[in-house]
Structure formats: structure tokens, C-alpha cells
Amino acid sequence: ELVVACRSGDSAKAGLLLGVRKVGASAKSVIANIGYKGLGPTGAQTLAKALSAELQVLELDLSGNNIGLEGGKAIATSLPSGLEVLKLNVANNRLTLAGVKALAAAIPQGLKVLSLGLAGMKIGSEGAAALASGMPTAVRELTLDLFGNGVGDDGLDFISKALPRSLEFLDVMLLENNLSTRGFF
């Protein structure tokens, strides 16, 4: 039902289905696996409108939905500033470099846990630099799936220099990124 509500542009119904629009209460967490459901940009924009600004935990798998730049920007601008946990998989969505930059700029800085699935975006070193500039300074757990992005040695260098000292856990997927032996941490 959530996919149907998103595709039809019904953000009120999508909010109810996510549990973020309840009478007298607001959900603090949303977990939704709606990867490869054909949401498209309109579905992503509807989903973005349905998210509550009061969320503390957001886990969304939007992989393979062809949300494109507009859908990616909508999701980015809807990220609640008070999030503590963000697990967002937007792999294989044709966000383009501009979409990844928008997402990186919108990452809430108070996050304790950050997991980003960005496989297949082909963001290159410029996208890696944008991710590095948006890195939360107090994040304790960080997972980045950068498979197939061609970030190269320079891009990996940007990310490694941006890693906060507060990290307790780090997992980075680096296959197909044009790395030499110099590029590894």
C-alpha cells in the first residue's frame, strides 16, 4: 500500500502507512524496505513529504527505484535535522553527481549512526569530496557502500581525511573504484 500511495502522490496516506502521522503522537522511527518497486521521482517526492521532522531513526531502502535527481533532492531536503540514526540506500537510482551532492549537504550533523548505500552512482572523486564535506563530526558507526563509483585514490583520500575521531565502527565497500595501492587507508 505504501508504494501505491507514493506512486499516486498521496503523502497523507504514505505518512499514515509509515506511522509518522498518528493522532496525538508522532513516530520517532521509520524503517521501510521499498527497493526496486518503481517509485520514480514522483514516488520519492511523495515519500519525502510524508516523513516527519520529529524522526530520530530513519532506515529507508530506496535502491533501484529510478528516483533520479529530483527524487534524490526531495529525499535529501526532507531529512529531519534531529536524526540520530540514518540508514539510506539509494543505490542504482541515477541520482547523478548533483543528487549525491545534495544528499551529502543535507546529512544531519548530529548523527550517531550513518549508513549510505550509493552503489552504481559513478560519482567520481568530486562526489567523494562532497560526501567528505557532509560527514557528521560525531558519528560513531559509519557504513559507506561506494561500489562502482570510480572515486579513485583522490576521492578515497577526501573521505579518509574526513573520518571523525569518534568512529567506533567503519565499513566501506570499495570495489570498482579505480584504486591503486596508494588509495587504501
Side-chain angles (χ1 to χ4, degrees):
E1 284 186 73
L2 177 59
V3 173
V4 172
C6 288
R7 284 185 191 160
S8 68
D10 190 346
S11 60
K13 184 171 183 180
L16 286 171
L17 292 167
L18 287 171
V20 297
R21 301 270 198 296
K22 294 180 180 176
V23 177
S26 179
K28 297 293 182 190
S29 66
V30 165
I31 300 172
N33 181 352
I34 47 178
Y36 294 92
K37 301 291 184 189
L39 288 182
T42 301
Q45 291 166 336
T46 301
L47 182 64
K49 289 176 190 171
L51 296 176
S52 167
E54 297 173 22
L55 287 175
Q56 295 173 346
V57 176
L58 178 59
E59 296 184 25
L60 283 178
D61 180 356
L62 299 173
S63 57
N65 273 297
N66 197 27
I67 65 174
L69 174 60
E70 293 309 312
K73 282 184 175 181
I75 294 295
T77 59
S78 72
L79 294 176
S81 60
L83 280 176
E84 295 177 12
V85 175
L86 174 61
K87 296 182 179 184
L88 180 62
N89 186 353
V90 291
N92 303 313
N93 266 301
R94 299 183 185 132
L95 293 186
T96 72
L97 178 59
V100 171
K101 284 181 174 182
L103 180 61
I107 294 172
Q109 289 301 301
L111 289 174
K112 296 175 184 167
V113 177
L114 175 60
S115 177
L116 290 176
L118 299 168
M121 297 292 172
K122 299 179 177 143
I123 61 172
S125 63
E126 191 176 347
L131 286 173
S133 70
M135 187 74 61
T137 56
V139 70
R140 294 193 315 245
E141 295 180 26
L142 176 63
T143 302
L144 292 174
D145 182 354
L146 298 173
F147 179 87
N149 274 289
V151 299
D153 294 344
D154 291 339
L156 189 56
D157 193 43
F158 292 132
I159 291 171
S160 64
K161 287 178 180 174
L163 295 175
R165 296 190 183 274
S166 58
L167 272 182
E168 297 170 11
F169 175 83
L170 175 64
D171 182 18
V172 182
M173 172 63 94
L174 294 170
L175 292 173
E176 297 186 24
N177 273 290
N178 305 323
L179 298 174
S180 70
T181 54
R182 176 185 81 80
F184 286 91
F185 299 87

